[in-house]
Amino acid sequence: MRVVHGAVPPAPASVPSVRDVLRLHGGAVDLASADARATPHAPGGKSEALADIAAMEPRLAELQERLYAQAVAGGSRKRLLLVLQGMDTSGKGGVVKHVIGQFNPSGCHIHAFKAPTREESGHPFLWRIRQQLPAPGMIGIFDRSHYEDVLIVRVRELVARGVWSRRYATINRFEKSLHDEEVTVVKVFLHISYDEQRERLLERLDNPDKHWKFNPGDIDERALWPAYQDAYEAVLQKCTTDTAPWYVVPADRKWYRNWAISRLLLEHLEEMDPHYPQGHFDVEAERKRLLET
């Protein structure tokens, strides 16, 4: 949404905290019992949610600008990192397009993690992650992340169990260090159902314009669905901490997915409470000098 000719944009809907309802607090996780079509705290149906996303945009843009200005002109080290994880077709790219698209791209750093390169494989698994962390004042977005090193490597048995099983604790220490460095980490698991994934893969096959998005390997990975669910449940249980909890977002309904993540970002940015830094100059004196030119 854009503000035109001084019009006052509508305020975002008044709803209970999305963080509270989607946040995990530790303990066992059972994804099979979690409804991927649920819409907790949504302001209504699809049309209401889309309207609310539009209403959030000016506020998100303002908070982003404050965060950036606070770092550039005020020396703040605060930044935000959104981590997106989920099965194929769960909507990581859709979030980047429809949610992150509300922000000024110059203040965002987006990185999609693929299979490690030869250089990356020659370093500890967190090395390539550190290279992509957002600078102060920036909003970082990870499409997949360091969690691939306890997900696909576990399911595909790419490294020994004794290797990947130690990485949970390493990840928790890493994320605690990010918190100490004033990085607000928002970790989102996009929870899509087995049936919905089939429909989205079929849509890619049935539409020639979407063939570029289809990879035959997606079907191979789908065959390992139970193993991936086990791996994700372990991640969600072992790597939910006070400083970097997981949020499980039902992702079968794309409109809800986008609304919920917009809300999560809004709530986190408001809690960060960035401010425009004060100028260290005499405003009236500078105004006088300018008018004399």
Side-chain angles (χ1 to χ4, degrees):
M1 178 177 180
R2 302 295 181 208
V3 180
V4 181
H5 300 308
V8 178
S14 178
V15 297
S17 170
V18 171
R19 291 174 65 181
D20 290 346
V21 73
L22 298 180
R23 175 176 174 162
L24 295 180
H25 294 277
V29 177
D30 180 12
L31 290 175
S33 66
D35 184 1
R37 292 187 62 79
T39 60
H41 291 351
K46 180 177 180 179
S47 60
E48 291 85 359
L50 294 177
D52 196 44
I53 290 173
M56 282 186 269
E57 183 176 343
R59 179 61 175 159
L60 286 170
E62 179 189 358
L63 289 165
Q64 181 197 17
E65 184 175 74
R66 289 185 181 190
L67 182 69
Y68 185 78
Q70 187 174 261
V72 171
S76 170
R77 293 191 54 77
K78 289 184 178 181
R79 53 290 223 352
L80 184 146
L81 174 62
L82 174 65
V83 175
L84 299 172
Q85 288 286 162
M87 296 292 288
D88 293 328
T89 77
S90 60
K92 297 178 289 294
V95 170
V96 171
K97 179 179 179 179
H98 297 290
V99 177
I100 305 308
Q102 301 176 86
F103 293 106
N104 184 333
S106 65
C108 295
H109 176 68
I110 303 169
H111 189 79
F113 288 95
K114 308 296 184 182
T117 64
R118 178 175 298 181
E119 179 187 16
E120 290 169 343
S121 296
H123 293 273
F125 78 100
L126 287 175
W127 180 83
R128 66 174 184 159
I129 307 300
R130 294 183 186 277
Q131 310 308 306
Q132 301 299 333
L133 290 173
M138 299 287 285
I139 294 176
I141 303 94
F142 283 176
D143 178 344
R144 302 187 188 276
S145 67
H146 42 294
Y147 283 99
E148 294 301 298
D149 288 283
V150 287
L151 290 166
I152 190 170
V153 299
R154 168 179 170 166
V155 174
R156 288 291 185 177
E157 299 180 348
L158 301 179
V159 299
R161 181 185 182 90
V163 174
W164 60 256
S165 64
R166 292 194 296 270
R167 289 177 175 171
Y168 299 116
T170 303
I171 288 172
N172 287 342
R173 290 193 297 271
F174 168 62
E175 292 177 349
K176 176 60 166 62
S177 74
L178 294 182
H179 176 266
D180 294 342
E181 295 166 10
E182 299 190 80
V183 182
T184 295
V185 182
V186 183
K187 302 187 303 190
V188 173
F189 172 63
L190 300 172
H191 180 40
I192 188 174
S193 67
Y194 188 67
D195 290 343
E196 180 65 20
Q197 188 196 57
R198 180 193 293 113
E199 293 305 310
R200 293 185 185 180
L201 288 173
L202 283 172
E203 182 182 358
R204 293 179 181 181
L205 283 172
D206 294 342
N207 184 349
D209 292 341
K210 293 191 175 183
H211 284 178
W212 66 274
K213 299 178 70 174
F214 182 81
N215 182 341
D218 293 343
I219 299 178
D220 299 328
E221 293 296 295
R222 178 174 166 79
L224 298 171
W225 184 277
Y228 271 109
Q229 297 302 288
D230 289 344
Y232 268 113
E233 288 175 351
V235 160
L236 297 173
Q237 178 181 352
K238 295 176 182 294
C239 295
T240 280
T241 63
D242 290 340
T243 54
W246 275 101
Y247 298 92
V248 177
V249 173
D252 275 12
R253 302 178 193 268
K254 296 177 183 180
W255 61 265
Y256 179 79
R257 175 199 71 200
N258 295 339
W259 176 83
I261 296 177
S262 296
R263 276 278 167 171
L264 283 173
L265 292 174
L266 179 61
E267 291 178 19
H268 279 89
L269 285 167
E270 287 185 332
E271 182 180 71
M272 293 169 72
D273 193 25
H275 287 79
Y276 291 117
Q278 292 184 340
H280 299 291
F281 50 83
D282 186 323
V283 175
E284 291 306 317
E286 295 305 313
R287 183 192 302 277
K288 182 175 182 296
R289 282 207 316 140
L290 179 59
L291 292 174
E292 289 174 350
T293 62

